[in-house]
């Protein structure tokens, strides 16, 4: 079930953002949020949710349910209004996925000066980042959050 309620989505994006910026590894980082929704894979977290069979099944079927087709990134007025680009010289860029099945993915990437900082595909070329999976309860509260460092080739 994809969420379409702006206020409900906004709260979830803000909760995820606040979780990320409060993590000890991110305390000293300057972070800007992309204003685009990116189709981020969930399979990285399959082992993390092994003890949660319902969520694991949803996660494992995510790409198959989309017939293994990745959608293009698209502009989100919600993200643009929530996270005004206050930082002009960020060292990290945060990308969010669409909220579907009460799950949200996020990637925090190191900003490489030679790249367009809001082009996810260019940002992932030979870069490192922290990836996140957020799972929400039906009432919108955060149920689980998982994170890993990843190296992109």
């Amino acid at each position: 079930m994809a969420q379409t309620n702006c206020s409900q989505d906004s709260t979830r994006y803000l909760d995820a953002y606040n979780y990320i910026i409060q993590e000890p590894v991110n305390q000293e980082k300057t972070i800007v949020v992309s204003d685009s929704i990116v189709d981020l894979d969930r399979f990285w977290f399959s082992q993390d949710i092994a003890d949660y069979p319902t969520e694991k099944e949803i996660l494992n079927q995510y790409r198959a349910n989309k017939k293994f087709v990745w959608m293009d990134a698209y502009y989100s007025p919600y993200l643009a209004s929530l996270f005004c680009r206050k930082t002009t010289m960020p060292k990290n860029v945060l990308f969010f996925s669409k909220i579907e099945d009460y799950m949200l993915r996020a990637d925090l990437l190191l900003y490489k000066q030679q790249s367009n900082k809001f082009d996810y595909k260019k940002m992932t070329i030979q870069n490192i980042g922290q990836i996140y999976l957020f799972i929400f309860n039906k009432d919108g509260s955060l149920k689980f959050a998982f994170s890993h460092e990843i190296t992109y080739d």
Side-chain angles (χ1 to χ4, degrees):
M1 295 185 309
Q3 300 299 319
T4 55
N5 181 320
C6 178
S7 64
Q8 191 175 32
D9 281 356
S10 297
T11 300
R12 290 176 182 168
Y13 284 114
L14 285 169
D15 287 347
Y17 174 78
N18 287 327
Y19 179 94
I20 290 167
I21 64 170
Q22 291 175 16
E23 274 202 313
V25 298
N26 298 326
Q27 290 292 308
E28 301 299 318
K29 293 180 180 177
T30 55
I31 299 171
V32 65
V33 178
S34 171
D35 61 6
S36 295
I37 298 288
V38 180
D39 191 356
L40 301 172
D41 263 321
R42 299 176 179 188
F43 71 88
W44 303 105
F45 297 94
S46 188
Q47 292 301 332
D48 294 307
I49 61 172
D51 294 335
Y52 310 101
T54 302
E55 289 83 0
K56 184 175 173 80
E57 181 65 23
I58 292 169
L59 185 136
N60 288 340
Q61 291 301 312
Y62 175 75
R63 194 53 64 191
N65 290 341
K66 295 186 172 288
K67 298 180 176 38
F68 299 97
V69 174
W70 277 256
M71 70 174 189
D72 291 332
Y74 62 92
Y75 174 77
S76 168
Y78 304 129
L79 293 181
S81 66
L82 281 174
F83 305 103
C84 298
R85 294 186 186 146
K86 297 174 186 167
T87 306
T88 57
M89 298 299 290
K91 298 218 186 277
N92 299 271
V93 181
L94 182 60
F95 293 90
F96 283 116
S97 73
K98 184 177 181 179
I99 300 171
E100 296 177 276
D101 303 315
Y102 304 102
M103 293 184 187
L104 170 63
R105 275 273 290 109
D107 284 10
L108 181 60
L109 302 174
L110 183 64
Y111 173 49
K112 302 182 309 176
Q113 299 293 340
Q114 69 272 23
S115 298
N116 174 347
K117 67 183 165 217
F118 298 112
D119 185 331
Y120 180 81
K121 288 181 182 180
K122 288 182 181 176
M123 287 284 297
T124 58
I125 297 171
Q126 297 181 338
N127 202 353
I128 59 170
Q130 196 73 21
I131 62 174
Y132 296 87
L133 173 68
F134 298 93
I135 300 174
F136 296 93
N137 292 303
K138 289 183 181 182
D139 68 1
S141 61
L142 184 60
K143 186 175 186 178
F144 309 115
F146 303 98
S147 172
H148 297 281
E149 184 174 271
I150 190 168
T151 301
Y152 301 88
D153 289 333

